Amino acid sequence: MTIVPMRRVTICGMRRDKAAALDGMQALGVLHVIPLAARNPLAPDDPAVRRRAETAFRHVIDAPEKLRPYRADAGFDAEAVITNIVANRLKLRDLADRRDELDALIVGLEPWGDFTLPRPEEIGGQRLWLYLLPTKDSRALAGLTQPYEIVGRAGAALEVVVIAPDAPPVDLLPVARTATGDAPLSDLRARREDLEIEHERAEAERAELTRWRFLLGTDLAAAQDRDDLRTVTQQTWDEAEVFALQGWAPVDAEADVERFAADRGLAVMIDEPGPGDAPPTLLRPREERFAIGADLTNFYATPGYRSWDPSLIVFVSFAVFFAMIVVDAGYAALFGLATAIYWTRMGASAAGRRMRVLLAALSGVSFVYGVMAGSYFGMVPPPDSRLGALRVIDVNDFDTMMVVSIAIGVIHIGIALGVVAWLNRGTGRAIVALGWLAAMAAGLLVWLGGGSGRAAGFVLLAAGLAAVFWGSASSRPIDKPTDWLLRVSDGFLGVTGVAKLFGDILSYLRLFALGLASASLGATFNQLAGEIHANVPGLGILLAVLILLVGH
């Protein structure tokens, strides 16, 4: 993995050739444009139309059943297709809402059975209101002023009918009133069946509409390209009959850019970045299978152009930390087995090939760490066994694991500080980084050294903080006498970073805590399964297996 060197590219040409030149540069696809003019905020754009098309595209892409897509030469009326897809989406949503309403009515009426409520005119203008009241709340009936009747029982609840011309208050009883609707239970179930058929027809229509997904996706991508091109068109420098386009290009694209300019009669100038420039960062793996390191790095934060590429360290650290959290060779073996089973399938795409490298690394490192920790699905082998002899880590040894976790934090942060010092050698930032390195080493000596080691640690700590003070203060230039006071202020402000550094190092204790929780949970489920197997004859075997499967 490496940060690709960038070059500033400036292309000039006649304004009459601008549209063709920009279209060609977009096709070349190597330029990160530097705006030379502010974009017109009133530029024609219709986000509502775009969102509608994107919603339609997601609807067919997320369909549970997809049919073979139409070829590129099929007649494609984008507006008609989008209209049909949006209508199908709204129809499915409406059917789902109506089905949910029916389900709620059916669930509420099932304890009461199949019946038809009498109309108000049939019972003197009164209405019947149904409540399913838990037996434990039956004393609430004593406070009713309306006439009521207990007409039956449903499990541990009373079926209470309240008689009133209007809807009773919502707090009449400690339970909500049963929604009855306008139809008996048998009719509701029939409606439910009809809705299911209608829903299946709508899903079949959705599956048929998925045949347009390729053409619709292509149309959306082309629309995005047109929007990007329009944006760049507004960001060029235009003067009289001449236009200029500027951007950053990878160093290995220089020849392509020069060839493009020569073929179209454009002037081109290619320069290296200056000290005040901030080129974009492009991480490029030396081999595609190791690109997952760049993916992980960009997930957290893209490094600066003049910084360093931490992809390898991030990749290794991710695998090690994952192993310390899983802390079980049995789980790691399952991860490895799943990776092996799907290895060929994941190799069908570039993203899959990167992911399988990550999964293989996670499985391998986790298995080694799990063997060292002596944990196999939460079980610890006997000390005199072969597997027991390989156990060199005890996650339940709090003192040792705390030391290991904090030492890993010191090493991890120390690597970063070392690289910062190297990249900024000869500057105040390098002195600050080296000072923090000394302070971290001093902290370990004070904590673990004892005796003379602790005394040396205090000396080193003082030297490290002094270096931080000096490096923080030295970066400010002296132009007037008051700048000396500002330098001192900068120095003290830099030293206050010790609290942040201390917190950063202690945050690595989470590795120990999560690993301990993982190991403890596995052992607990094993213990529960063993106790149930021992205390529940017959059925206990099945229950124990279920606890093991679900628990692990």
Side-chain angles (χ1 to χ4, degrees):
M1 207 73 61
T2 182
I3 296 178
V4 179
M6 305 296 281
R7 296 291 182 266
R8 183 197 297 272
V9 175
T10 304
I11 295 176
C12 298
M14 304 303 295
R15 290 185 66 177
R16 63 176 179 271
D17 302 324
K18 175 179 172 179
L22 294 183
D23 188 63
M25 281 303 301
Q26 185 180 43
L28 191 60
V30 297
L31 205 62
H32 182 94
V33 175
I34 301 172
L36 298 179
R39 181 185 178 187
N40 179 9
L42 301 180
D45 194 4
D46 195 344
V49 173
R50 172 66 58 79
R51 285 195 299 269
R52 186 167 178 265
E54 290 173 346
T55 300
F57 181 65
R58 285 196 302 269
H59 183 62
V60 293
I61 285 296
D62 295 338
E65 180 183 2
K66 298 182 182 66
L67 302 182
R68 186 184 301 275
Y70 290 123
R71 298 191 310 272
D73 58 355
F76 178 55
D77 184 344
E79 181 57 33
V81 169
I82 291 172
T83 299
N84 291 337
I85 294 175
V86 170
N88 176 261
R89 178 175 177 270
L90 295 176
K91 183 178 181 180
L92 282 170
R93 177 183 291 180
D94 177 64
L95 290 172
D97 292 342
R98 289 161 57 190
R99 183 174 58 188
D100 292 342
E101 293 174 3
L102 281 177
D103 286 342
L105 288 172
I106 291 171
V107 169
L109 288 177
E110 277 179 340
W112 298 85
D114 193 10
F115 63 93
T116 302
L117 286 173
R119 295 190 297 273
E121 56 269 21
E122 296 176 346
I123 53 175
Q126 300 292 321
R127 296 176 183 270
L128 304 183
W129 310 95
L130 311 184
Y131 292 85
L132 207 59
L133 182 68
T135 305
K136 64 182 179 62
D137 296 326
S138 59
R139 66 183 61 185
L141 296 173
L144 291 182
T145 58
Q146 297 91 337
Y148 70 90
E149 182 69 28
I150 300 175
V151 299
R153 288 177 176 269
L158 303 175
E159 296 174 337
V160 180
V161 178
V162 176
I163 305 172
D166 300 311
V170 292
D171 58 349
L172 180 70
L173 289 173
V175 292
R177 188 172 67 247
T178 300
T180 56
D182 58 353
L185 185 60
S186 56
D187 286 357
L188 294 178
R189 286 172 172 164
R191 291 183 193 175
R192 181 68 166 74
E193 289 296 325
D194 293 341
L195 270 181
E196 281 295 339
I197 293 174
E198 196 172 352
H199 189 272
E200 289 175 356
R201 288 174 178 165
E203 283 290 0
E205 179 185 354
R206 182 184 185 182
E208 183 63 32
L209 289 170
T210 61
R211 295 187 186 278
W212 295 108
R213 64 186 183 276
F214 172 74
L215 294 175
L216 182 57
T218 303
D219 198 61
L220 272 173
Q224 182 64 53
D225 287 345
R226 289 193 296 272
D227 282 355
D228 293 342
L229 183 60
R230 184 173 65 243
T231 299
V232 172
T233 300
Q234 299 165 12
Q235 294 176 338
T236 60
W237 179 80
D238 299 320
E239 183 71 26
E241 297 299 319
V242 179
F243 82 93
L245 171 69
Q246 195 170 79
W248 297 104
V251 65
D252 53 10
E254 283 188 51
D256 294 333
V257 172
E258 290 174 342
R259 189 179 308 110
F260 171 86
D263 291 343
R264 287 163 177 78
L266 303 171
V268 61
M269 183 168 60
I270 299 178
D271 302 308
E272 293 189 4
D277 291 330
T281 303
L282 174 61
L283 293 179
R284 180 177 294 167
R286 294 183 177 87
E287 296 183 46
E288 184 196 21
R289 56 180 176 168
F290 298 132
I292 190 65
D295 295 340
L296 287 173
T297 300
N298 288 323
F299 175 80
Y300 294 109
T302 302
Y305 178 75
R306 291 182 176 83
S307 181
W308 57 291
D309 180 7
S311 301
L312 179 61
I313 294 176
V314 170
F315 179 79
V316 173
S317 302
F318 192 88
V320 172
F321 296 166
F322 184 87
M324 293 182 68
I325 293 171
V326 173
V327 67
D328 193 283
Y331 297 155
L334 287 182
F335 299 154
L337 179 62
T339 303
I341 292 174
Y342 290 98
W343 185 267
T344 302
R345 184 179 302 181
M346 287 189 290
S349 65
R353 288 191 292 272
R354 296 197 298 270
M355 181 56 65
R356 69 183 183 182
V357 171
L358 175 62
L359 293 175
L362 296 181
S363 303
V365 177
S366 298
F367 183 80
V368 172
Y369 189 84
V371 171
M372 294 171 62
S375 181
Y376 302 85
F377 296 109
M379 295 181 291
V380 179
D384 55 351
S385 65
R386 291 186 177 180
L387 291 178
L390 297 175
R391 186 187 185 203
V392 296
I393 298 174
D394 183 2
V395 294
N396 294 302
D397 183 352
F398 289 11
D399 293 338
T400 301
M401 292 306 298
M402 285 181 63
V403 172
V404 169
S405 299
I406 290 179
I408 287 176
V410 169
I411 294 172
H412 206 228
I413 296 175
I415 291 173
L417 289 171
V419 175
V420 169
W422 173 256
L423 292 177
N424 295 276
R425 54 192 182 275
T427 67
R429 288 193 64 190
I431 297 174
V432 171
L434 293 174
W436 288 130
L437 277 172
M440 289 193 303
L444 287 180
L445 282 174
V446 171
W447 181 30
L448 305 173
S452 58
R454 175 170 296 189
F458 281 117
V459 173
L460 185 59
L461 177 62
L465 294 179
V468 171
F469 181 92
W470 177 260
S472 301
S474 63
S475 58
R476 180 181 292 274
I478 300 297
D479 297 323
K480 52 186 180 296
T482 55
D483 289 337
W484 287 102
L485 292 176
L486 294 177
R487 269 199 172 190
V488 173
S489 174
D490 290 343
F492 280 116
L493 188 63
V495 172
T496 61
V498 68
K500 179 180 182 300
L501 182 65
F502 185 69
D504 289 342
I505 294 173
L506 288 187
S507 70
Y508 285 80
L509 286 174
R510 287 177 292 182
L511 297 172
F512 161 52
L514 291 171
L516 178 62
S518 177
S520 300
L521 281 174
T524 300
F525 286 122
N526 291 341
Q527 181 181 356
L528 287 174
E531 291 177 354
I532 288 181
H533 176 252
N535 298 322
V536 182
L539 187 61
I541 297 178
L542 176 60
L543 293 176
V545 171
L546 287 176
I547 288 175
L548 288 175
L549 290 177
V550 176
H552 283 296

